[in-house]
Amino acid sequence: MTYPPNAPASAQGTAPARAGTGVPAQPSVAPAAAPPAGPGTWAEVRERFRRAATTEPGRLQILGAVLALLVVAFGTVTAFEVADRASSADDVVSRSQPLSSDAAAIYRSLADADTAAASAFLAGAQEPPDVQKRYADDIATASRLLVKAAAGTEGSAESSREIATLNEQLPRYTGLIERARAANRQGLPLGGAYLRYANGTMTTELLPAAERLYEAETARLSQDDQDARDWPFLSLALGILVLAVLVWAQRRTYARTNRVFNQGLVAATAATVVVLLWLLAAHGVARAGLNEAREHGQDSLRVLTTARISSLKARANENLTLVARGAVLTDDGKNDKYETDYASSMNALVDALAQARELADDDAGRDPLAAAAERTAQWQERHKDARAKDDAGDFEGARLRVVGPKDTTGQSFDQVDAALKRALDHEQSEFTRAAEGGRGALTALPLGAAALGVLGAAGAVLGINRRLSEYR
């Protein structure tokens, strides 16, 4: 019997089994092919870019991408820069200036409360109800404004520190005033000592802290005002660059096609010009409004606040001159401390009124200042009369020239304070009007710049695609 010959192992696709093992033959595995050698990813990109740049369609695609990127970048940067300045302008109107005004009102309320307390003490054991109410209203106003300031000065360590000092010292001051009142009702001389201690707390703790708070908030107002008025140089430079590249691209298209206009590129250029001109005009108007607010509002408010504070200091020292009766002297021991402080505060008031008149730009601002200057002169004359009576030993006559509803220094002080309030209200309205006008000029520009940037980029892409279609 014959058998067919065995096929070779290689032909059957199996390896021959080892003798004596009984393990069936396994199929052979072909070795894996090695990856083809080639340049890296960045090298491939550079090579593709080089090949594209050697053909006109490739160059057009690159140009379209660059134009679209530049126009979008211009719109985006403009939107962000203008939004930042609009935010600063909004802070000037709605945060910084109101906080500065509130800080000044805190100082005024505290100083007026001290003045009212001294006036009530001079009136005798039976304090006039209107003076008591004035004192209570001043303390309530200061407390309310401190709460408001604490909520509005978040992030300012300096302002928070001064507010904490005021909140700590105000109850101590009111406690001393109540002790002075209680002693005064009983006719005890100790009442005058408590009143002087209370005034010392006011002049060395409360008023300096309120003044530092006012200075801190005024400094923040100045910083916000400066931030809002800074020119957006990056947006302007980028806009000029984009405009130059678009003009070059249109000249290039004209040189190769002899066509005067490419509608897409013209649209992109128009959008860029609109944003650039809008940016210049809006920021110019905003700067003009903020400059007017600063020159005819903010500066006047600062000087008028100084005048009002000086009048309050003068009135408080005038009252304490009679309360102390010469018991408190200056450091050199030669003069009455309160009378010296009165003279210093009165000089500051006169100087501030003169500065305010120079800054006033209309009759509505000048008229109350003229009235304040006239009443200040009257106040000084009445004060001289009161001092003459006191120096002659007529304490009761001097007291009646200082406190009372008619023909007294107190009446003159009230008239000066009322005139200064009218001037402050007028300058506050002038500031708000001008600052709101500056803020309004920037309101729509961020959104408009972003939208025109997108439209300009789309126009650039469509214009380049129109050229690319000629190669298909």
Side-chain angles (χ1 to χ4, degrees), residues 135 139 169-180 198 201 206:
Y135 169 82
I139 295 298
Q169 295 296 330
L170 186 57
R172 184 177 301 175
Y173 169 80
T174 55
L176 289 171
I177 291 296
E178 291 307 317
R179 292 184 181 183
T201 300
L206 284 164

Side-chain angles (χ1 to χ4, degrees), residues 92-438:
V92 168
V93 176
S94 60
R95 190 194 66 173
S96 303
Q97 202 283 325
L99 283 175
S100 176
S101 179
D102 286 345
I106 290 172
Y107 191 108
R108 188 261 171 197
S109 297
L110 292 174
D112 192 62
D114 197 48
T115 298
S119 298
F121 189 92
L122 282 176
Q126 298 298 323
E127 298 177 356
D130 59 331
V131 179
Q132 288 183 339
K133 182 177 184 303
R134 182 171 182 170
Y135 169 82
D137 290 345
D138 285 333
I139 295 298
T141 298
S143 301
R144 175 178 56 81
L145 291 177
L146 282 173
V147 173
K148 182 180 177 182
T153 56
E154 296 178 358
S156 175
E158 184 178 0
S159 295
S160 299
R161 184 169 58 251
E162 304 307 337
I163 290 172
T165 300
L166 290 167
N167 283 325
E168 178 184 353
Q169 295 296 330
L170 186 57
R172 184 177 301 175
Y173 169 80
T174 55
L176 289 171
I177 291 296
E178 291 307 317
R179 292 184 181 183
R181 282 177 167 176
N184 192 40
R185 292 190 188 101
Q186 300 174 39
L188 300 176
L190 190 60
Y194 275 124
L195 184 65
R196 292 196 298 273
Y197 293 153
N199 176 260
T201 300
M202 178 65 73
T203 56
T204 61
E205 298 290 343
L206 284 164
L207 292 183
E211 186 172 6
R212 291 192 296 270
L213 175 63
Y214 171 70
E215 291 173 352
E217 295 304 323
T218 302
R220 183 156 64 164
L221 169 60
S222 298
Q223 185 61 54
D224 288 339
D225 178 67
Q226 183 61 46
D227 291 342
R229 292 188 298 110
D230 281 344
W231 280 102
F233 290 111
L234 181 58
S235 296
L236 293 172
L238 188 56
I240 294 172
L241 174 63
V242 172
L243 195 58
V245 174
L246 283 168
V247 171
W248 172 82
Q250 291 178 84
R251 286 179 59 85
R252 180 183 184 277
T253 301
Y254 172 73
R256 283 165 171 74
T257 65
N258 207 29
R259 293 172 182 168
V260 178
F261 296 113
N262 179 294
Q263 294 179 352
L265 294 180
V266 169
T269 304
T272 302
V273 170
V274 168
V275 174
L276 199 56
L277 293 178
W278 191 358
L279 176 62
L280 286 168
H283 198 75
V285 172
R287 280 178 63 90
L290 292 171
N291 284 338
E292 182 183 356
R294 183 183 61 181
E295 294 172 2
H296 300 300
Q298 185 177 335
D299 291 347
S300 294
L301 286 171
R302 176 179 53 79
V303 174
L304 287 170
T305 298
T306 300
R308 202 174 191 190
I309 288 172
S310 298
S311 71
L312 289 164
K313 287 181 177 180
R315 179 58 179 169
N317 286 310
E318 182 179 53
N319 289 336
L320 288 168
T321 300
L322 290 178
V323 172
R325 299 189 183 185
V328 182
L329 302 178
T330 55
D331 293 338
D332 58 10
K334 296 181 179 180
N335 299 297
D336 185 285
K337 177 183 182 303
Y338 295 120
E339 179 63 20
T340 302
D341 290 344
Y342 161 83
S344 176
S345 299
M346 185 60 70
N347 290 335
L349 169 60
V350 173
D351 292 342
L353 287 174
Q355 294 180 35
R357 285 197 298 271
E358 292 178 0
L359 292 171
D361 59 344
D362 56 13
D363 291 339
R366 285 188 287 266
D367 289 346
L369 292 175
E374 180 182 351
R375 298 306 178 185
T376 298
Q378 182 189 68
W379 180 3
Q380 290 174 306
E381 291 299 323
R382 290 176 175 177
H383 177 81
K384 288 180 182 179
D385 186 27
R387 293 307 311 144
K389 291 182 181 298
D390 190 33
D391 292 340
D394 185 6
F395 174 80
E396 185 62 21
R399 187 183 71 84
L400 292 176
R401 293 295 289 165
V402 172
V403 296
K406 188 176 181 181
D407 297 334
T408 62
T409 59
Q411 182 187 36
S412 298
F413 161 74
D414 289 338
Q415 291 169 341
V416 170
D417 190 67
L420 289 174
K421 184 178 184 304
R422 291 197 304 273
L424 279 164
D425 290 343
H426 171 71
E427 297 300 335
Q428 180 65 58
S429 65
E430 290 286 294
F431 173 89
T432 302
R433 177 190 58 78
E436 286 182 345

